[in-house]
Coordinates of all heavy atoms in Angstrom, one line a residue:
M273 N 89.2 -53.6 -11.4 CA 88.6 -52.6 -12.3 C 89.0 -52.9 -13.7 O 90.1 -52.8 -14.1 CB 89.0 -51.2 -11.7 CG 88.5 -50.1 -12.7 SD 89.4 -48.6 -12.1 CE 88.3 -47.5 -12.1
K274 N 88.0 -53.2 -14.6 CA 88.3 -53.5 -15.9 C 88.2 -52.2 -16.8 O 87.2 -51.5 -16.6 CB 87.4 -54.6 -16.5 CG 87.8 -55.9 -16.0 CD 86.9 -56.9 -16.7 CE 87.3 -58.3 -16.4 NZ 86.5 -59.3 -17.1
R275 N 89.1 -51.9 -17.7 CA 88.9 -50.9 -18.6 C 88.9 -51.5 -20.0 O 89.6 -52.3 -20.5 CB 90.1 -50.0 -18.6 CG 90.2 -49.2 -17.3 CD 91.3 -48.2 -17.4 NE 91.4 -47.4 -16.2 CZ 92.3 -46.5 -16.0 NH1 93.4 -46.3 -16.9 NH2 92.3 -45.9 -14.9
N276 N 87.8 -50.9 -20.8 CA 87.7 -51.4 -22.2 C 88.4 -50.2 -23.0 O 87.8 -49.1 -23.3 CB 86.3 -51.4 -22.7 CG 85.7 -52.7 -22.2 OD1 86.4 -53.7 -21.8 ND2 84.4 -52.7 -22.0
I277 N 89.6 -50.4 -23.4 CA 90.3 -49.5 -24.2 C 90.5 -50.0 -25.5 O 91.0 -51.1 -25.7 CB 91.8 -49.1 -23.6 CG1 91.6 -48.6 -22.1 CG2 92.5 -48.2 -24.4 CD1 92.9 -48.4 -21.4
S278 N 90.1 -49.2 -26.5 CA 90.2 -49.6 -27.9 C 91.5 -49.0 -28.5 O 91.6 -47.7 -28.5 CB 89.0 -49.1 -28.7 OG 89.1 -49.3 -30.0
M279 N 92.4 -49.7 -28.9 CA 93.6 -49.3 -29.5 C 93.5 -49.4 -31.0 O 93.9 -50.3 -31.7 CB 94.8 -50.1 -29.0 CG 95.0 -50.0 -27.5 SD 95.4 -48.3 -27.0 CE 97.0 -48.2 -27.6
R280 N 92.9 -48.3 -31.5 CA 92.7 -48.2 -33.0 C 93.8 -47.4 -33.6 O 94.1 -46.2 -33.1 CB 91.3 -47.6 -33.3 CG 90.2 -48.4 -32.8 CD 89.0 -47.7 -33.1 NE 88.7 -47.8 -34.5 CZ 87.7 -47.1 -35.1 NH1 87.0 -46.2 -34.5 NH2 87.5 -47.3 -36.4
P281 N 94.5 -48.0 -34.6 CA 95.7 -47.2 -35.2 C 95.2 -46.0 -35.8 O 94.1 -46.0 -36.4 CB 96.3 -48.1 -36.1 CG 95.3 -49.2 -36.3 CD 94.4 -49.3 -35.2
S282 N 95.9 -44.9 -35.8 CA 95.5 -43.6 -36.5 C 96.5 -43.3 -37.5 O 97.8 -43.3 -37.3 CB 95.4 -42.5 -35.5 OG 95.2 -41.2 -36.1
I283 N 96.1 -43.0 -38.8 CA 96.9 -42.6 -39.8 C 96.5 -41.2 -40.3 O 95.4 -40.9 -40.6 CB 96.9 -43.6 -41.0 CG1 97.3 -44.9 -40.6 CG2 97.7 -43.1 -42.1 CD1 97.0 -46.0 -41.7
N284 N 97.4 -40.3 -40.3 CA 97.1 -39.0 -40.7 C 97.8 -38.8 -42.1 O 99.0 -39.0 -42.3 CB 97.8 -37.9 -39.7 CG 97.1 -38.0 -38.4 OD1 95.9 -38.1 -38.3 ND2 97.9 -37.9 -37.4
L285 N 97.0 -38.4 -43.1 CA 97.5 -38.1 -44.4 C 97.5 -36.6 -44.6 O 96.5 -35.9 -44.4 CB 96.5 -38.7 -45.4 CG 96.3 -40.3 -45.4 CD1 95.2 -40.7 -46.4 CD2 97.6 -40.9 -45.7
V286 N 98.6 -36.2 -45.1 CA 98.8 -34.8 -45.4 C 99.0 -34.7 -46.9 O 99.9 -35.3 -47.5 CB 100.1 -34.2 -44.6 CG1 100.3 -32.8 -45.0 CG2 99.9 -34.4 -43.1
I287 N 98.2 -33.8 -47.5 CA 98.3 -33.6 -49.0 C 98.7 -32.2 -49.1 O 97.9 -31.3 -48.9 CB 96.9 -33.9 -49.6 CG1 96.5 -35.3 -49.2 CG2 97.0 -33.6 -51.1 CD1 95.0 -35.6 -49.6
S288 N 100.0 -32.0 -49.5 CA 100.5 -30.7 -49.5 C 100.1 -29.9 -50.7 O 100.0 -28.7 -50.6 CB 102.2 -30.8 -49.4 OG 102.5 -31.6 -50.6
E289 N 99.7 -30.7 -51.8 CA 99.2 -30.1 -53.0 C 98.1 -30.7 -53.4 O 98.1 -31.8 -54.0 CB 100.2 -30.1 -54.1 CG 101.7 -29.5 -53.7 CD 102.8 -29.8 -54.7 OE1 103.1 -31.0 -54.6 OE2 103.2 -29.0 -55.4
P290 N 96.9 -30.2 -53.1 CA 95.6 -30.8 -53.5 C 95.4 -30.9 -55.0 O 94.7 -31.8 -55.4 CB 94.5 -30.0 -52.8 CG 95.2 -28.8 -52.4 CD 96.6 -28.9 -52.3
Y291 N 95.9 -29.9 -55.7 CA 95.8 -29.9 -57.2 C 97.2 -29.8 -57.8 O 98.0 -29.0 -57.3 CB 94.9 -28.8 -57.6 CG 93.5 -28.9 -57.2 CD1 93.1 -28.2 -56.1 CD2 92.7 -29.7 -57.9 CE1 91.8 -28.3 -55.7 CE2 91.3 -29.9 -57.4 CZ 90.9 -29.1 -56.4 OH 89.6 -29.1 -55.9
I292 N 97.5 -30.6 -58.8 CA 98.8 -30.3 -59.6 C 98.6 -30.3 -61.0 O 97.5 -30.9 -61.4 CB 99.8 -31.4 -59.2 CG1 99.4 -32.7 -59.5 CG2 100.3 -31.3 -57.8 CD1 100.4 -33.9 -59.4
T293 N 99.3 -29.7 -61.7 CA 99.2 -29.6 -63.2 C 99.3 -31.1 -63.8 O 99.9 -31.9 -63.2 CB 100.2 -28.7 -63.9 OG1 101.5 -29.3 -63.8 CG2 100.0 -27.3 -63.4
L294 N 98.7 -31.2 -65.0 CA 98.8 -32.5 -65.7 C 100.3 -32.8 -66.0 O 100.7 -34.0 -66.0 CB 97.9 -32.5 -67.0 CG 97.7 -33.9 -67.6 CD1 96.9 -34.8 -66.6 CD2 96.9 -33.6 -68.9
D295 N 101.0 -31.8 -66.4 CA 102.5 -32.0 -66.7 C 103.2 -32.5 -65.5 O 104.0 -33.4 -65.6 CB 103.2 -30.7 -67.2 CG 102.7 -30.4 -68.6 OD1 102.3 -31.3 -69.4 OD2 102.8 -29.2 -68.9
E296 N 102.9 -31.9 -64.3 CA 103.5 -32.4 -63.0 C 103.1 -33.7 -62.6 O 103.9 -34.5 -62.2 CB 103.3 -31.3 -61.9 CG 103.9 -31.8 -60.6 CD 105.4 -31.7 -60.5 OE1 106.0 -31.2 -61.5 OE2 105.9 -32.3 -59.5
F297 N 101.9 -34.0 -62.9 CA 101.4 -35.4 -62.6 C 102.1 -36.5 -63.4 O 102.6 -37.4 -62.9 CB 99.9 -35.5 -62.9 CG 99.2 -36.9 -62.8 CD1 99.0 -37.3 -61.5 CD2 99.1 -37.6 -63.9 CE1 98.5 -38.7 -61.4 CE2 98.5 -38.9 -63.8 CZ 98.3 -39.5 -62.5
C298 N 102.3 -36.1 -64.7 CA 103.1 -37.0 -65.6 C 104.5 -37.1 -65.2 O 105.1 -38.3 -65.3 CB 103.0 -36.6 -67.1 SG 101.4 -36.7 -67.7
R299 N 105.2 -36.1 -64.8 CA 106.6 -36.1 -64.3 C 106.7 -37.0 -63.1 O 107.6 -37.8 -63.0 CB 107.0 -34.7 -63.9 CG 108.5 -34.6 -63.6 CD 108.9 -33.2 -63.0 NE 108.4 -33.0 -61.7 CZ 108.9 -33.6 -60.6 NH1 109.8 -34.5 -60.7 NH2 108.3 -33.3 -59.4
R300 N 105.7 -36.9 -62.2 CA 105.7 -37.7 -60.9 C 105.4 -39.2 -61.1 O 105.9 -40.1 -60.5 CB 104.8 -37.2 -59.8 CG 105.2 -35.8 -59.3 CD 104.2 -35.4 -58.3 NE 104.5 -34.0 -57.9 CZ 103.9 -33.5 -56.8 NH1 102.9 -34.1 -56.1 NH2 104.1 -32.2 -56.5
T301 N 104.6 -39.4 -62.1 CA 104.2 -40.8 -62.3 C 104.8 -41.6 -63.4 O 104.9 -42.8 -63.5 CB 102.6 -40.9 -62.6 OG1 102.3 -40.2 -63.8 CG2 101.8 -40.4 -61.4
G302 N 105.4 -40.8 -64.4 CA 106.1 -41.4 -65.5 C 105.1 -41.7 -66.7 O 105.6 -42.2 -67.7
Y303 N 103.8 -41.2 -66.5 CA 102.9 -41.4 -67.6 C 103.3 -40.5 -68.8 O 103.8 -39.3 -68.5 CB 101.5 -41.2 -67.1 CG 100.9 -42.2 -66.2 CD1 99.9 -41.8 -65.5 CD2 101.3 -43.6 -66.3 CE1 99.3 -42.8 -64.6 CE2 100.7 -44.4 -65.4 CZ 99.8 -44.1 -64.5 OH 99.2 -45.0 -63.8
K304 N 103.0 -40.9 -70.0 CA 103.1 -39.9 -71.1 C 101.8 -38.9 -71.0 O 100.9 -39.4 -70.6 CB 103.1 -40.7 -72.4 CG 104.1 -41.8 -72.5 CD 105.3 -41.3 -73.3 CE 106.3 -42.3 -73.5 NZ 107.6 -42.0 -73.2
I305 N 102.0 -37.7 -71.5 CA 101.1 -36.7 -71.5 C 99.8 -37.2 -72.2 O 98.7 -37.0 -71.9 CB 101.6 -35.3 -71.9 CG1 100.6 -34.3 -71.6 CG2 101.9 -35.4 -73.4 CD1 100.4 -33.9 -70.2
A306 N 100.0 -37.8 -73.4 CA 98.9 -38.3 -74.3 C 98.0 -39.4 -73.5 O 96.8 -39.4 -73.5 CB 99.4 -38.9 -75.6
Y307 N 98.7 -40.2 -72.7 CA 98.0 -41.2 -72.0 C 97.2 -40.6 -70.8 O 96.0 -40.9 -70.6 CB 99.0 -42.3 -71.3 CG 98.3 -43.4 -70.5 CD1 97.5 -44.3 -71.2 CD2 98.5 -43.4 -69.1 CE1 96.8 -45.3 -70.4 CE2 97.8 -44.4 -68.4 CZ 97.1 -45.3 -69.0 OH 96.4 -46.3 -68.4
A308 N 97.7 -39.6 -70.1 CA 97.1 -38.8 -69.1 C 95.9 -38.1 -69.6 O 94.8 -38.1 -69.0 CB 98.1 -37.9 -68.4
R309 N 96.0 -37.5 -70.7 CA 94.9 -36.8 -71.4 C 93.8 -37.8 -71.7 O 92.6 -37.5 -71.5 CB 95.4 -36.0 -72.6 CG 96.1 -34.8 -72.3 CD 96.5 -34.0 -73.6 NE 97.4 -33.0 -73.3 CZ 97.1 -31.8 -72.8 NH1 95.8 -31.5 -72.6 NH2 97.9 -30.8 -72.6
Q310 N 94.2 -39.0 -72.1 CA 93.2 -40.0 -72.4 C 92.4 -40.4 -71.1 O 91.3 -40.6 -71.1 CB 93.8 -41.2 -73.2 CG 92.8 -42.3 -73.6 CD 92.0 -41.8 -74.7 OE1 92.4 -41.0 -75.5 NE2 90.7 -42.3 -74.7
M311 N 93.3 -40.6 -70.0 CA 92.6 -40.9 -68.8 C 91.6 -39.8 -68.3 O 90.6 -40.1 -67.8 CB 93.7 -41.0 -67.7 CG 94.5 -42.2 -67.9 SD 95.9 -42.3 -66.7 CE 95.0 -42.6 -65.1
V312 N 92.0 -38.5 -68.6 CA 91.0 -37.4 -68.3 C 89.8 -37.6 -69.1 O 88.6 -37.4 -68.6 CB 91.7 -36.1 -68.5 CG1 90.7 -35.0 -68.4 CG2 92.8 -35.9 -67.5
K313 N 89.9 -37.8 -70.3 CA 88.7 -38.0 -71.3 C 87.8 -39.1 -70.9 O 86.6 -39.0 -71.0 CB 89.2 -38.3 -72.7 CG 89.3 -37.1 -73.6 CD 89.6 -37.5 -75.0 CE 90.1 -36.4 -75.9 NZ 90.4 -36.9 -77.2
E314 N 88.4 -40.2 -70.4 CA 87.7 -41.4 -70.0 C 87.2 -41.3 -68.5 O 86.7 -42.2 -67.9 CB 88.5 -42.6 -70.1 CG 88.8 -42.9 -71.6 CD 89.8 -44.1 -71.7 OE1 90.3 -44.5 -70.7 OE2 90.1 -44.3 -72.9
N315 N 87.4 -40.1 -67.9 CA 87.1 -39.9 -66.5 C 87.6 -40.8 -65.5 O 87.2 -41.2 -64.4 CB 85.5 -39.8 -66.3 CG 84.9 -38.7 -67.0 OD1 85.3 -37.6 -66.9 ND2 83.7 -39.0 -67.6
R316 N 88.9 -41.3 -65.8 CA 89.7 -42.2 -64.9 C 90.6 -41.4 -64.1 O 91.3 -42.0 -63.2 CB 90.4 -43.3 -65.7 CG 89.5 -44.2 -66.5 CD 90.2 -45.4 -67.0 NE 91.1 -44.9 -68.2 CZ 92.3 -45.4 -68.3 NH1 92.8 -46.2 -67.5 NH2 93.1 -44.9 -69.2
L317 N 90.8 -40.2 -64.4 CA 91.7 -39.3 -63.7 C 90.9 -38.0 -63.1 O 90.4 -37.2 -64.0 CB 92.8 -38.8 -64.5 CG 94.1 -38.2 -63.9 CD1 94.6 -39.1 -62.8 CD2 95.1 -37.8 -64.9
P318 N 90.7 -37.9 -61.9 CA 89.9 -36.8 -61.3 C 90.6 -35.4 -61.5 O 91.8 -35.3 -61.3 CB 89.7 -37.1 -59.8 CG 90.9 -37.9 -59.5 CD 91.3 -38.7 -60.7
I319 N 89.9 -34.4 -62.0 CA 90.5 -33.1 -62.3 C 89.6 -32.1 -61.7 O 88.4 -32.3 -61.4 CB 90.7 -32.8 -63.8 CG1 89.4 -32.8 -64.5 CG2 91.7 -33.8 -64.4 CD1 89.4 -32.3 -65.9
R320 N 90.2 -30.9 -61.4 CA 89.5 -29.7 -61.0 C 88.5 -29.3 -62.1 O 88.9 -29.3 -63.3 CB 90.4 -28.6 -60.6 CG 89.7 -27.3 -60.2 CD 90.8 -26.3 -59.9 NE 90.9 -26.2 -58.4 CZ 91.8 -25.5 -57.8 NH1 92.6 -24.7 -58.5 NH2 91.8 -25.5 -56.5
K321 N 87.4 -28.8 -61.8 CA 86.4 -28.3 -62.8 C 87.1 -27.2 -63.5 O 87.6 -26.2 -62.9 CB 85.2 -27.9 -62.2 CG 84.1 -27.4 -63.2 CD 82.9 -27.1 -62.4 CE 81.8 -26.6 -63.5 NZ 80.5 -26.2 -62.9
K322 N 87.1 -27.2 -64.8 CA 87.8 -26.2 -65.7 C 86.9 -25.0 -65.9 O 85.7 -25.2 -65.9 CB 88.1 -26.9 -67.1 CG 89.2 -27.9 -67.0 CD 89.5 -28.6 -68.3 CE 89.9 -27.7 -69.3 NZ 90.2 -28.3 -70.6
E323 N 87.5 -23.9 -65.9 CA 86.8 -22.6 -66.0 C 86.5 -22.3 -67.5 O 85.5 -21.8 -67.8 CB 87.7 -21.5 -65.5 CG 88.0 -21.5 -64.1 CD 86.7 -21.3 -63.2 OE1 85.9 -20.6 -63.6 OE2 86.6 -22.0 -62.2
G324 N 87.3 -22.8 -68.4 CA 87.1 -22.5 -69.9 C 87.7 -23.7 -70.7 O 88.3 -24.6 -70.1
V325 N 87.4 -23.6 -71.9 CA 87.9 -24.7 -72.8 C 89.4 -24.8 -72.9 O 90.0 -25.9 -72.8 CB 87.4 -24.5 -74.3 CG1 88.0 -25.6 -75.2 CG2 85.9 -24.5 -74.3
N326 N 90.1 -23.7 -72.8 CA 91.6 -23.6 -72.9 C 92.3 -23.5 -71.5 O 93.4 -23.2 -71.4 CB 92.1 -22.6 -73.8 CG 91.7 -22.9 -75.3 OD1 91.7 -23.9 -75.7 ND2 91.3 -21.8 -76.0
S327 N 91.5 -23.7 -70.4 CA 92.1 -23.5 -69.2 C 93.1 -24.8 -68.7 O 92.9 -25.8 -69.3 CB 91.0 -23.3 -68.1 OG 90.2 -24.4 -67.9
L328 N 93.8 -24.5 -67.8 CA 94.8 -25.4 -67.4 C 94.1 -26.7 -66.7 O 93.2 -26.5 -65.9 CB 95.7 -24.8 -66.3 CG 96.9 -25.5 -65.8 CD1 97.9 -25.8 -67.0 CD2 97.6 -24.8 -64.7
I329 N 94.6 -27.9 -67.0 CA 94.1 -29.0 -66.4 C 94.8 -29.3 -65.2 O 96.0 -29.5 -65.2 CB 94.2 -30.3 -67.3 CG1 93.4 -30.1 -68.6 CG2 93.8 -31.6 -66.6 CD1 93.6 -31.2 -69.7
E330 N 94.1 -29.4 -64.0 CA 94.7 -29.7 -62.7 C 94.2 -31.0 -62.2 O 93.0 -31.2 -62.0 CB 94.4 -28.5 -61.8 CG 95.1 -27.2 -62.1 CD 94.8 -26.1 -61.2 OE1 93.6 -25.8 -61.1 OE2 95.7 -25.6 -60.5
V331 N 95.1 -31.9 -61.8 CA 94.7 -33.2 -61.3 C 94.4 -33.1 -59.8 O 95.1 -32.4 -59.0 CB 95.7 -34.2 -61.4 CG1 95.5 -35.6 -60.9 CG2 96.1 -34.4 -63.0
N332 N 93.2 -33.7 -59.3 CA 92.7 -33.6 -58.0 C 93.5 -34.7 -57.2 O 93.1 -35.8 -57.2 CB 91.3 -33.8 -57.9 CG 90.8 -33.6 -56.5 OD1 91.4 -33.8 -55.6 ND2 89.4 -33.4 -56.5
M333 N 94.6 -34.3 -56.6 CA 95.3 -35.3 -55.7 C 94.6 -35.9 -54.6 O 94.9 -36.9 -54.1 CB 96.7 -34.8 -55.4 CG 97.6 -34.4 -56.6 SD 97.8 -35.8 -57.7 CE 98.9 -36.8 -56.8
F334 N 93.7 -35.0 -54.0 CA 92.9 -35.4 -52.8 C 92.0 -36.5 -53.2 O 92.0 -37.5 -52.5 CB 92.1 -34.2 -52.2 CG 91.4 -34.4 -51.0 CD1 92.0 -34.6 -49.8 CD2 90.1 -34.7 -51.0 CE1 91.4 -34.8 -48.7 CE2 89.3 -35.0 -49.9 CZ 90.1 -35.0 -48.7
A335 N 91.3 -36.4 -54.3 CA 90.5 -37.5 -54.8 C 91.3 -38.7 -55.0 O 90.8 -39.9 -54.7 CB 89.7 -37.0 -56.0
L336 N 92.4 -38.7 -55.6 CA 93.2 -39.9 -55.8 C 93.7 -40.5 -54.4 O 93.6 -41.7 -54.5 CB 94.5 -39.5 -56.7 CG 94.2 -39.3 -58.2 CD1 95.5 -38.7 -58.9 CD2 93.6 -40.5 -58.9
T337 N 94.1 -39.7 -53.5 CA 94.4 -40.2 -52.3 C 93.2 -40.9 -51.6 O 93.4 -42.1 -51.1 CB 94.9 -39.1 -51.3 OG1 96.0 -38.5 -52.0 CG2 95.4 -39.7 -50.0
L338 N 92.1 -40.4 -51.7 CA 90.9 -41.0 -51.1 C 90.6 -42.3 -51.8 O 90.2 -43.3 -51.2 CB 89.6 -40.2 -51.2 CG 89.6 -39.0 -50.0 CD1 88.4 -38.1 -50.4 CD2 89.6 -39.5 -48.8
E339 N 90.7 -42.3 -53.1 CA 90.4 -43.5 -53.9 C 91.4 -44.6 -53.5 O 91.0 -45.8 -53.4 CB 90.6 -43.3 -55.4 CG 90.2 -44.4 -56.3 CD 90.5 -44.1 -57.7 OE1 90.3 -43.0 -58.1 OE2 90.9 -45.0 -58.5
A340 N 92.6 -44.3 -53.3 CA 93.7 -45.3 -52.8 C 93.4 -45.8 -51.5 O 93.5 -47.0 -51.2 CB 95.0 -44.7 -52.9
A341 N 93.0 -44.9 -50.6 CA 92.7 -45.3 -49.2 C 91.4 -46.3 -49.1 O 91.4 -47.1 -48.2 CB 92.5 -44.1 -48.3
Q342 N 90.6 -46.1 -50.0 CA 89.3 -46.8 -50.0 C 89.6 -48.2 -50.4 O 88.8 -49.1 -50.1 CB 88.2 -46.2 -50.8 CG 87.6 -45.0 -50.2 CD 86.7 -44.2 -51.1 OE1 86.6 -44.5 -52.3 NE2 85.9 -43.2 -50.7
G343 N 90.7 -48.4 -51.1 CA 91.0 -49.8 -51.4 C 91.5 -50.6 -50.3 O 91.7 -51.9 -50.4
C344 N 91.8 -50.0 -49.2 CA 92.2 -50.7 -47.9 C 90.9 -50.7 -47.0 O 90.0 -50.1 -47.3 CB 93.2 -49.9 -47.2 SG 94.7 -49.5 -48.2
E345 N 91.1 -51.6 -46.0 CA 90.0 -51.8 -45.1 C 90.1 -50.8 -43.9 O 90.6 -51.1 -42.9 CB 89.8 -53.2 -44.6 CG 89.5 -54.1 -45.7 CD 89.3 -55.6 -45.3 OE1 89.1 -55.8 -44.0 OE2 89.3 -56.5 -46.1
V346 N 89.9 -49.5 -44.2 CA 90.1 -48.6 -43.2 C 88.8 -47.7 -43.1 O 88.0 -47.7 -44.0 CB 91.2 -47.5 -43.5 CG1 92.6 -48.3 -43.5 CG2 91.1 -46.8 -44.8
T347 N 88.6 -47.1 -41.9 CA 87.4 -46.2 -41.8 C 87.8 -44.8 -41.9 O 88.8 -44.3 -41.4 CB 86.9 -46.3 -40.3 OG1 86.5 -47.8 -40.1 CG2 85.6 -45.5 -40.2
M348 N 87.2 -44.1 -42.8 CA 87.5 -42.7 -43.1 C 86.7 -41.8 -42.2 O 85.5 -42.0 -42.0 CB 87.1 -42.3 -44.6 CG 87.8 -43.1 -45.6 SD 89.5 -42.7 -45.5 CE 89.9 -42.8 -47.3
Q349 N 87.4 -40.8 -41.6 CA 86.7 -39.8 -40.8 C 87.3 -38.5 -41.0 O 88.6 -38.4 -40.9 CB 87.0 -40.3 -39.3 CG 86.1 -39.5 -38.3 CD 86.2 -40.0 -37.0 OE1 87.3 -40.6 -36.6 NE2 85.2 -39.8 -36.1
A350 N 86.5 -37.5 -41.4 CA 87.1 -36.2 -41.7 C 87.0 -35.3 -40.6 O 86.2 -35.5 -39.6 CB 86.3 -35.6 -42.9

């Protein structure tokens, strides 16, 4: 009796904080705040849609994680 068993590795990603402030992002990455703001302006850093002009900038860590995972040869399944 032959069995076709597919042993596909499974990786579970847990994102404890889907959004963090720009200051916290800079603290974690070591980027200067001016550089991070420039990245936001150039749409190179995904952020949560802002409510108003002076509202807090929150970095979308979920989007950054997905972007990083897409650089690998893995299949995404939600």
